[in-house]
């Protein structure tokens, strides 16, 4: 670690461990030390009178404990380790977390109500994004959205794109809408066999093999009673072979109170479906307005659901409500994209970024910094940003979102102001939250990982290195020693953390530049020479942002 630095808390803890070990050793050696007194004293104030030491022992000037084994090593496989929190770190120095700066596409808005049959949307609130994906089976980007009616309600519709930028609204010919069948409106097949306007809008993300008829799953049309009437305030679950013609499945779930966009996916970690849904019907104070917040539920079959539990409910004067929250699992971490809402004065909304290791306990590391910010004054998205949908493709993470100029708490605005359109922004792959050196101390920083087993051959680092970066490989054993100068860490860490021979800082080739896949080498050696060994990595860098690392197989 370059340069001395203060670790007073850690030093006191280590010193306490050393003292405890000395006392324990005295007892084992046959000493008897009275509680509250120093060795050689029998008084509480420590004054010498009669010794309590029953056996003479020569104490060495330096007491060194036996090597202390590290924590059990992690098994990381080849997965990218995103540095969005401190879960993979043991120690760090002069670094801070930073959030990525999303870049909005220069052609925004990409989709708006511009077809003849969408005239009703132009008189109302425009179009609202539900789900966007990239279908690996045909390489197309696909989008489900809803056309807002000026007479009330909405109509589900579909668009596709080859590049994710230029979108086509196909003439599906499924159902008549606005006086024509030449439209992109979806349909559902009712129990009586009739085709009606409707269908799945909010796709359920589940990549497991299924019958072709159930290739797409979605939350959409409301479920039916036995007499054919629809349930009120409930959403149904639907399936489709092509994402266009939808069929009802048994069961349903409680709709998000007051609206909101649900987020549902199969979580392989839990072997369950997980649903995040808006809620505002359980009031802390029945006499006060209840703010919007997000609840969580689980299901094994999309029919029986666990009771609702509050997942994210901010205590923030600036952003007291959550209109909706979309959740995605990426590299084993849950990322929440809440549409933060202030509905009393400003009537505005913007999308923030949350992280969670289990999908239940959420961290909001940047409560004053939007992940998808509002546009500049006069822009098409200068007051409302919400309903993001993540599509990972190649080296980019694309975030489609709805944007508008109107105030959420004001009605009666002219149609040109209240139109919702759809845009897109992006960040490079895995660059959501990273570790950056602070400006002080020459912009130098470092961090040490928790121990893990080397299971691959190449150490790959996702980093923007304006200065330089080196990595050394540390053995997961440390010896504590009560020796050395009191003002320096070496007083407590006499032997230090031994390095693997040939993998020291000076052996590492200097890394510079902005790359998603920096390959780390020590002279001519890759990390694969230590395969199946337990290691720690020490990153030492200057003027750099490190987003992720992984140990990958060749190629």
């Amino acid at each position: 670690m370059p340069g001395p630095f203060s670790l007073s808390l850690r030093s006191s803890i280590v010193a306490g461990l050393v003292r405890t070990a000395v006392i324990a050793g005295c007892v084992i050696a046959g000493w008897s030390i009275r509680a509250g007194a120093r060795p050689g004293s029998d008084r509480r104030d420590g004054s010498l009178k009669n010794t309590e030491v029953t056996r003479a022992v020569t104490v060495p000037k330096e007491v060194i404990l036996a090597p202390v084994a590290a924590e059990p090593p992690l098994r990381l496989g080849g997965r990218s380790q995103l540095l969005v929190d401190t879960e993979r770190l043991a120690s760090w120095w002069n670094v801070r977390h930073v959030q990525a700066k999303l870049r909005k596409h220069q052609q925004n808005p990409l989709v708006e109500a511009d077809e003849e049959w969408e005239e009703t949307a132009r008189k109302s609130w425009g179009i609202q994004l539900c789900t966007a994906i990239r279908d690996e089976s045909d390489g197309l980007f696909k989008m489900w959205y809803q056309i807002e009616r000026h007479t009330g309600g909405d109509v589900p519709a579909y668009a596709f794109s080859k590049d994710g930028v230029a979108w086509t609204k196909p003439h599906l010919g499924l159902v008549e809408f606005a006086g024509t069948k030449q439209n992109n409106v979806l349909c559902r097949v009712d129990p009586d066999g009739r085709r009606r306007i409707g269908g799945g809008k909010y796709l359920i993300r589940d990549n497991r093999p299924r019958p072709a008829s159930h290739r797409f799953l979605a939350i959409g049309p409301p479920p039916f009673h036995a007499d054919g009437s629809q349930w009120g305030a409930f959403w149904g679950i639907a399936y489709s072979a092509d994402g266009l013609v939808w069929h009802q499945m048994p069961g349903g779930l409680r709709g998000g109170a007051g609206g909101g966009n649900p987020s549902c996916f199969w979580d392989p970690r839990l072997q369950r479906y997980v649903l995040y849904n808006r809620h505002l019907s359980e009031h802390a104070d029945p006499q006060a307005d209840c703010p919007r917040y997000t609840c969580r539920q689980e299901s094994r079959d999309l029919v029986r659901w666990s009771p609702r539990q509050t997942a994210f409910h901010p205590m923030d004067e600036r952003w007291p409500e959550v209109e909706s929250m979309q959740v995605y699992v990426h590299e084993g971490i849950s990322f929440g994209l809440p549409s933060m809402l202030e509905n009393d004065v400003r009537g505005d909304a913007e999308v923030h970024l949350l992280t969670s290791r289990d999908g239940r306990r959420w961290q909001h590391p940047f409560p004053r910094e939007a992940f998808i910010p509002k546009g500049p004054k006069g822009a098409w998205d200068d007051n409302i940003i919400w309903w993001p949908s993540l599509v990972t493709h190649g080296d980019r993470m694309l975030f489609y979102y709805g944007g508008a100029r109107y105030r959420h708490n004001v009605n009666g605005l002219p149609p040109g102001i209240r139109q919702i359109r759809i845009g897109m922004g992006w960040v490079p792959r895995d660059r959501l939250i990273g570790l950056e050196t602070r400006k002080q101390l020459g912009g130098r920083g470092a961090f040490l990982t928790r121990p893990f087993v080397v299971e691959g051959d190449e150490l790959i680092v996702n980093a923007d290195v304006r200065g330089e970066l080196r990595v050394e490989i540390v053995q997961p054993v440390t010896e504590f020693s009560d020796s050395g100068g009191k003002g320096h860490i070496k007083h407590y860490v006499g032997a230090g953390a031994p390095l693997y021979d040939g993998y020291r800082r000076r052996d590492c080739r200097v890394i510079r530049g902005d790359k998603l896949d920096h390959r780390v080498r020590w002279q001519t050696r890759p990390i694969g020479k230590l395969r199946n060994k337990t290691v720690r990595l020490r990153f030492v860098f200057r003027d750099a942002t490190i987003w992720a690392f992984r140990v990958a197989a060749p190629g």
Side-chain angles (χ1 to χ4, degrees), residues 316-321 341-342 346 348 350 367-368 374:
D316 190 325
E317 292 182 359
R318 178 167 176 78
W319 300 109
E321 300 188 58
L341 174 66
E342 197 288 322
R346 304 187 311 273
D348 59 347
E350 63 185 22
R368 290 294 177 268
K374 294 175 291 185

Side-chain angles (χ1 to χ4, degrees), residues 145-168:
Y145 67 94
Q146 58 191 32
I147 301 170
E148 295 296 315
R149 284 174 159 168
H150 72 283
T151 55
D154 55 73
V155 174
Y158 166 82
F160 70 87
S161 172
K162 294 181 179 180
D163 59 5
V165 176
W167 290 86
T168 299

Side-chain angles (χ1 to χ4, degrees), residues 209 434 449 502:
T449 70

Side-chain angles (χ1 to χ4, degrees), residues 290-311:
C290 185
R292 301 161 179 82
Y293 59 96
T294 299
C295 286
R296 181 184 183 279
Q297 294 175 266
E298 296 181 2
S299 175
R300 294 184 182 274
D301 55 10
L302 296 175
V303 177
R304 291 168 290 273
W305 292 88
S306 65
R308 293 187 301 271
Q309 290 184 325
T310 299

Side-chain angles (χ1 to χ4, degrees), residues 339-541:
S339 301
M340 308 298 290
L341 174 66
E342 197 288 322
N343 204 44
D344 292 329
V345 180
R346 304 187 311 273
D348 59 347
E350 63 185 22
V351 173
H352 285 211
L353 181 62
L354 310 182
T355 65
S356 174
R357 291 282 173 172
D358 59 9
R360 296 183 177 88
R361 295 175 293 272
W362 291 91
Q363 297 184 35
H364 190 185
F366 302 97
R368 290 294 177 268
E369 184 178 342
F371 180 67
I372 307 180
K374 294 175 291 185
K377 187 175 181 179
W380 66 279
D381 58 353
D382 67 358
N383 203 63
I384 295 285
I385 300 286
W386 54 18
W387 308 319
S389 192
L390 169 62
V391 178
T392 300
H393 176 56
D395 287 339
R396 290 186 176 184
M397 304 177 77
L398 311 178
F399 294 86
Y400 293 90
Y401 66 94
R405 301 195 61 199
Y406 71 91
R407 290 171 60 186
H408 188 267
N409 55 1
V410 176
N411 293 318
L413 295 172
I417 294 294
R418 65 174 184 250
Q419 286 292 294
I420 302 173
R421 301 171 174 87
I422 298 172
M424 181 264 284
W426 63 276
V427 299
R429 170 173 44 84
D430 294 348
R431 293 190 175 185
L432 297 169
I433 298 174
L435 281 174
E436 181 178 84
T437 48
R438 296 181 185 273
K439 292 182 179 180
Q440 58 262 41
L441 301 176
R444 293 179 294 119
F447 64 84
L448 179 69
T449 70
R450 295 169 60 189
F452 66 91
V453 177
V454 176
E455 300 175 84
D457 295 314
E458 291 277 358
L459 175 60
I460 298 174
V461 179
N462 184 339
D464 177 10
V465 186
R466 283 88 59 190
E468 64 178 36
L469 163 67
R470 296 176 189 262
V471 184
E472 58 186 8
I473 303 183
V474 183
Q475 296 185 32
V477 175
T478 299
E479 290 185 351
F480 291 115
S481 172
D482 190 12
S483 66
K486 289 286 186 181
H488 196 275
I489 184 62
K490 289 183 179 179
H491 168 68
Y492 298 106
V493 186
L499 303 173
Y500 279 99
D501 189 40
Y503 292 92
R504 298 175 183 274
R505 193 179 315 175
R506 64 173 178 265
D507 301 318
C508 182
R509 296 179 182 176
V510 178
I511 296 171
R512 294 186 176 92
D514 185 0
K515 292 180 65 176
L516 300 178
D517 299 297
H518 288 287
R519 281 173 164 74
V520 183
R521 289 293 179 111
W522 294 264
Q523 301 301 338
T524 59
R525 302 178 184 180
I527 197 173
K529 295 291 185 180
L530 300 177
R531 181 183 277 268
N532 297 322
K533 291 185 179 295
T534 298
V535 305
R536 297 179 189 261
L537 301 178
R538 178 180 287 127
F539 289 74
V540 182
F541 48 103

